[in-house]
């Protein structure tokens, strides 16, 4: 079956702009989580969506937001981009039931460069 | 939040077993131990997970100590393609949120 698909694969934006990243989870998966990976901070949790609702959130400013659609596809938006937002943004999907030992399947990520 | 401690790097000869340790002394009774690996610039790849029993799949074996305070991931016959950063993660509470530490950079050498 198809894996987690993230688009675009690479992106270059200018400081102050906004950006939208897309993630299509594995068919049947209802949970989508987003992570930011930078050399200095490693992999950090941004937020998780389940059935179109944000279920969990990491410690990121309000410039980072997301949403999930009825088909479980998710988008992540970053407004007023800063140079420090340059990172690999990873999306992961899972079946999403709480209390179960489900792991994640990660996509290949979107490499965002802010100049 | 449950935290894990891993050595920053390890070397292993190709064809030999790679044993990657992880300490998770604050793990709770219902928390699972997961292992993922990340090859440069790719998304992390699931390897294996377990609760308290040892687990084995086609990729690796997971040995969890009886007190569950530590575990070891074993790659039985390491190849050059196993060179990656390996993350040991304890899944916290009931939320689908993983805390990734710094991981162990495994260097498999010919």
């Amino acid at each position: 079956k198809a894996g987690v698909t993230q688009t675009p694969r690479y992106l270059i934006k200018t400081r102050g702009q906004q950006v939208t990243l897309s993630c299509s989870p594995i068919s049947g998966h209802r949970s989508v989580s987003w992570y930011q990976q930078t050399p200095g901070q490693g992999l950090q949790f941004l937020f998780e969506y389940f059935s179109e609702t944000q279920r969990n959130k990491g410690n990121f400013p309000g410039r980072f937001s997301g949403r999930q659609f009825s088909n479980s596809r998710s988008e992540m938006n970053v407004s007023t981009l800063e140079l420090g937002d340059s990172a690999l943004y990873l999306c992961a999907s899972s079946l999403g039931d709480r209390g179960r030992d489900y792991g994640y399947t990660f996509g290949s990520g979107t490499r965002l460069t802010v100049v | 939040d449950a935290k894990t401690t891993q050595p920053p790097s390890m070397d292993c000869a190709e064809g030999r077993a790679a044993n990657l340790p992880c300490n998770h002394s604050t793990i709770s009774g219902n928390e699972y131990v997961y292992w993922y690996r990340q090859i440069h610039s790719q998304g992390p790849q699931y390897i294996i997970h377990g609760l308290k029993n040892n687990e084995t799949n086609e990729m690796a074996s997971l040995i969890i100590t009886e007190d569950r305070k530590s575990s070891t991931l074993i790659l039985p016959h390491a190849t050059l393609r196993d060179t990656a950063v390996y993350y040991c993660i304890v899944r916290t509470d009931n939320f689908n949120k993983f805390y990734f530490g710094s991981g162990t950079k495994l260097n498999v050498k010919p």
Side-chain angles (χ1 to χ4, degrees):
Chain A
K1 56 183 178 182
V4 179
T5 304
Q6 290 189 249
T7 56
R9 189 73 176 89
Y10 300 94
L11 203 52
I12 300 176
K13 288 287 188 178
T14 303
R15 193 170 47 184
Q17 286 185 313
Q18 74 157 9
V19 66
T20 299
L21 312 181
S22 178
C23 172
S24 293
I26 290 173
S27 178
H29 284 193
R30 296 189 296 166
S31 168
V32 174
S33 300
W34 289 88
Y35 287 78
Q36 180 197 65
Q37 186 172 31
T38 60
Q41 299 296 320
L43 272 154
Q44 290 188 291
F45 174 79
L46 279 157
F47 29 65
E48 182 215 2
Y49 286 87
F50 179 80
S51 293
E52 302 178 65
T53 301
Q54 187 181 86
R55 190 161 67 172
N56 210 353
K57 191 176 187 304
N59 296 322
F60 278 81
R63 298 185 299 107
F64 292 81
S65 63
R67 59 178 175 170
Q68 187 179 33
F69 301 95
S70 58
N71 61 359
S72 293
R73 189 178 71 85
S74 176
E75 288 182 346
M76 190 193 102
N77 185 77
V78 187
S79 62
T80 320
L81 283 166
E82 301 177 359
L83 296 178
D85 297 332
S86 295
L88 179 66
Y89 289 88
L90 291 158
C91 162
S93 78
S94 74
L95 285 167
D97 293 348
R98 283 180 174 177
R100 303 292 300 274
D101 61 334
Y102 294 126
Y104 286 162
T105 300
F106 281 86
S108 298
T110 294
R111 173 75 61 184
L112 172 66
T113 302
V114 182
V115 298
Chain B
D1 300 316
K3 294 289 191 291
T4 61
T5 304
Q6 299 176 255
S9 65
M10 292 181 63
D11 291 336
C12 178
E14 188 177 19
R16 298 287 189 140
N19 297 282
L20 291 89
C22 179
N23 287 318
H24 31 78
S25 58
T26 60
I27 192 170
S28 299
N30 62 346
E31 291 177 327
Y32 287 79
V33 179
Y34 284 80
W35 283 84
Y36 280 78
R37 72 179 182 184
Q38 187 175 26
I39 298 169
H40 183 64
S41 294
Q42 296 181 20
Q45 177 191 22
Y46 167 82
I47 301 173
I48 199 168
H49 75 280
L51 183 61
K52 51 186 176 182
N53 297 321
N54 297 338
E55 302 288 344
T56 296
N57 63 20
E58 65 279 2
M59 287 182 69
S61 294
L62 174 60
I63 308 298
I64 302 174
T65 58
E66 193 169 340
D67 62 8
R68 305 214 316 127
K69 293 184 185 300
S70 65
S71 61
T72 301
L73 177 74
I74 301 172
L75 306 179
H77 306 286
T79 70
L80 298 179
R81 287 182 293 182
D82 291 323
T83 293
V85 178
Y86 287 77
Y87 295 98
C88 167
I89 305 155
V90 171
R91 179 174 168 178
T92 60
D93 57 58
N94 285 329
F95 293 101
N96 285 318
K97 176 171 69 174
F98 285 170
Y99 286 97
F100 287 82
S102 300
T104 295
K105 176 69 165 64
L106 176 67
N107 298 300
V108 180
K109 300 184 176 181

